[in-house]
Amino acid sequence: MTIYLDNAATSFPKPESVYRAMDQFARTSLANPGRSGHKMALASEHALDNARHRLNQHFHGKGPDRFIFTLNGTDALNLAIKGLLNPGDHVITSELEHNSVSRPLRGLEKAGVISLTKVTADDTGTISPDDVRDAITPKTRLIALTHASNVLGTVQPIEEIGKIAREHNIVFLVDAAQTAGVLPIDVQALHIDLLAFPGHKSLMGPTGTGALYVAPGITLRPWREGGTGGDSVSEVNPTEMPFHLEGGTPNVVGLVGLTAGIDYVEQRGLHTIHQHEVDLVERLWKALDQIPAIQVFGHRNHAKRVGTLSFRSELLPANELGGVLDEAFTIAIRPGLHCAPFVHRGQGSFPEGTIRVSPGAFNTEADIDTLAQALTEIHS
């Protein structure tokens, strides 16, 4: 059986309760929500309402209707970025971003729509709030930052940056792909205006799920328009949230799974899950300390990390080492640039990239010890 250590990409396995909830719903209630008045359609509508309610509770939002269902985190980020920005706007982002943030912003910059400032991280993989403050101009409309690097695992000081954004009346967008489900996120306390996240990572839902939180007072143009079920008369998408930003049939069965995933995460406890994952990272790090040919990236303060560790080997390129681990040892990790090339440029690991190991809630010390032994054998 494969030892799966690629949870930063997608969590696996899911809790058994997620599989059961999706299977039962798909077999009994999977109709089109809001499009019909029959019982199955109403059950689907209730499932969506329940998912929004649970998301609002989990992230301490201003109301369930502020959560927009999306295909994934990338979809949510595109909805936020392209729905907000106008010609002439200035945006502040960082070199730590995933391509889900970098590419839409760079595309708008290349098209001459916006200007862009990319704040650099220090050698520990952390952004300075002062650098963000210094980058602000009279035209700054948006600060778009990751909560934690998907390569280095380093958690960024978003509360301090959120205060800076609020002081200057700048919209603050946070990519919580690596933190939703392992770190507590209170959008109000952290001054977050737009929170984008997938459902398929640490929230334990299936692929094809995600959401965008849109704070009151933030107006976005729709990313997609179409059927909204309850309003078939308006010539354009209705202005009422969440339907203003949702069009077409949602992934109801997936969102049922996401709701069950949130229930699991909260029952087990975010702190418990986070501590379990960073303990496994530290266990691996100690083993890597004994292999001189391996270099680990990022700081070692696990209170300010998520359970992701990146390293490179002097003996083998990342892609080759990843292939050996997969084929010879049946261990699944992710080698390469991790859809975040600017991180690797900043850390000096471009263009080869690194090996990324990301244990999840269901990994064990034995999984880590097997990986450590494999790396020791490869480097002996």
Side-chain angles (χ1 to χ4, degrees):
M1 180 176 292
T2 297
I3 294 176
Y4 184 84
L5 291 166
D6 193 20
N7 289 274
T10 294
S11 59
F12 179 84
K14 309 299 181 183
E16 188 60 32
S17 56
V18 172
Y19 298 127
R20 288 197 304 267
M22 293 176 66
D23 182 70
Q24 180 180 5
F25 188 84
R27 293 176 186 276
T28 62
S29 305
L30 185 54
N32 211 315
R35 273 70 174 174
S36 307
H38 55 73
K39 292 178 182 178
M40 287 178 64
L42 293 175
S44 287
E45 189 68 30
H46 176 72
L48 295 186
D49 290 342
N50 188 42
R52 287 190 222 275
H53 176 68
R54 296 295 289 113
L55 288 171
N56 188 58
Q57 287 181 320
H58 189 80
F59 294 108
H60 304 277
K62 283 281 192 175
D65 60 336
R66 309 309 301 183
F67 285 86
I68 310 304
F69 295 134
T70 62
L71 302 174
N72 44 49
T74 297
D75 192 41
L77 288 162
N78 274 270
L79 172 59
I81 290 168
K82 295 175 181 177
L84 176 76
L85 296 174
N86 297 306
D89 286 343
H90 173 249
V91 180
I92 299 169
T93 187
S94 84
E95 69 175 12
L96 296 178
E97 306 309 311
H98 188 277
N99 279 336
S100 299
V101 173
S102 297
R103 282 179 170 170
L105 289 176
R106 179 61 177 143
L108 290 172
E109 183 187 35
K110 290 185 70 174
V113 177
I114 65 168
S115 58
L116 185 63
T117 299
K118 191 170 291 182
V119 174
T120 60
D122 63 19
D123 57 3
T124 73
T126 307
I127 300 164
S128 166
D130 289 337
D131 289 344
V132 174
R133 187 193 302 274
D134 292 344
I136 294 173
T137 77
K139 292 187 176 182
T140 304
R141 171 68 169 149
L142 176 69
I143 297 172
L145 297 174
T146 186
H147 191 178
S149 167
N150 73 308
V151 177
L152 304 173
T154 50
V155 176
Q156 304 308 308
I158 62 167
E159 182 174 4
E160 294 91 328
I161 295 170
K163 289 178 181 177
I164 293 169
R166 190 58 50 87
E167 289 168 4
H168 291 80
N169 196 30
I170 297 169
V171 178
F172 188 32
L173 166 62
V174 173
D175 174 7
Q178 299 300 321
T179 54
V182 287
L183 295 181
I185 299 174
D186 183 325
V187 293
Q188 297 184 62
L190 298 175
H191 312 289
I192 297 172
D193 299 302
L194 297 165
L195 182 76
F197 54 92
H200 65 92
K201 298 190 181 186
S202 294
L203 287 174
M204 299 295 178
T207 53
T209 60
L212 175 70
Y213 172 75
V214 183
I218 304 296
T219 301
L220 302 179
R221 295 179 295 274
W223 174 239
R224 64 176 62 84
E225 298 171 276
T228 53
D231 181 353
S232 297
V233 176
S234 300
E235 294 181 322
V236 296
N237 264 27
T239 58
E240 178 188 4
M241 292 282 279
F243 310 109
H244 177 60
L245 298 174
E246 290 181 355
T249 302
N251 180 9
V252 189
V253 68
L255 293 167
V256 167
L258 174 58
T259 303
I262 295 170
D263 290 342
Y264 170 85
V265 166
E266 293 186 352
Q267 289 165 9
R268 183 165 172 181
L270 272 73
H271 174 75
T272 300
I273 294 172
H274 179 236
Q275 192 62 52
H276 172 73
E277 293 177 358
V278 297
D279 284 349
L280 293 180
V281 164
E282 177 59 21
R283 187 179 186 88
L284 176 59
W285 206 325
K286 287 179 178 177
L288 298 183
D289 285 340
Q290 308 306 311
I291 306 175
I294 285 181
Q295 176 191 4
V296 180
F297 292 87
H299 65 69
R300 205 162 180 167
N301 181 355
H302 294 292
K304 296 181 179 181
R305 290 181 61 96
V306 293
T308 294
L309 182 147
S310 283
F311 63 90
R312 67 178 174 187
S313 166
E314 295 177 0
L315 298 185
L316 286 174
N319 285 331
E320 290 186 25
L321 181 52
V324 171
L325 289 172
D326 185 27
E327 295 295 329
F329 297 93
T330 323
I331 299 173
I333 52 80
R334 184 174 176 188
L337 296 175
H338 313 101
C339 298
F342 296 103
V343 180
H344 290 281
R345 289 182 188 274
Q347 295 294 312
S349 52
F350 187 89
E352 175 191 317
T354 60
I355 291 287
R356 185 183 71 185
V357 178
S358 49
F362 297 105
N363 284 115
T364 64
E365 292 182 350
D367 293 339
I368 297 301
D369 293 345
T370 300
L371 171 60
Q373 181 59 37
L375 290 169
T376 299
E377 289 183 23
I378 292 168
H379 290 82
S380 60

